[in-house]
Structures are given as C-alpha cells and as structure tokens.
Amino acid sequence: MTQYAYDDDIKAALNDADFPLGKDDLVRHAEQAGAGEEVLRSLRTLPLADYRSLDEVLRSTPDR
C-alpha cells in the first residue's frame, strides 16, 4: 500500500513557500526543504494546476 504524507508533514515542507505555485514548483520547494519521500509522493499526485495557498494544496492531496 502506498503511503502518503500527513498534513503536518506537508505544512512543514511548504511553510515558507511563496504562493501561488504550480505543482512542479511545489515539489521542487519541498525537495529543497528536505521533505521526506512520503511528502514528495503526495505532492507528485497533485493535478497540474497553480495552487494559491497551502490550504488548497492540502485539499488536493490524496486521502491517507
């Protein structure tokens, strides 16, 4: 079963992100912040879009 990140892990990886950001920019930001594989996997499942806020990212990530 694939493991996805919890909201707190995603928040920690993107806490200083400057929104809006596209999916690829979100993944790149999380990588540079040292995010774990579960966070990166969750962000990679996002639909291609520009995300205006962290809340929008969290609403769009897969259910755990």
Side-chain angles (χ1 to χ4, degrees):
M1 181 173 175
T2 301
Q3 289 292 110
Y4 294 106
Y6 290 100
D7 288 354
D8 288 344
D9 297 326
I10 295 170
K11 287 178 186 177
L14 300 176
N15 69 346
D16 63 347
D18 189 21
F19 290 92
L21 288 172
K23 172 185 171 176
D24 293 337
D25 293 324
L26 288 169
V27 172
R28 190 170 19 260
H29 184 88
E31 287 173 333
Q32 291 172 351
E37 190 56 39
E38 290 175 354
V39 170
L40 298 175
R41 187 178 304 118
S42 293
L43 294 176
R44 288 181 183 125
T45 66
L46 291 170
L48 286 176
D50 286 329
Y51 294 88
R52 292 171 286 176
S53 69
L54 181 55
D55 286 336
E56 190 174 359
V57 171
L58 295 175
R59 284 192 304 270
S60 300
T61 54
D63 293 334
R64 269 72 57 205

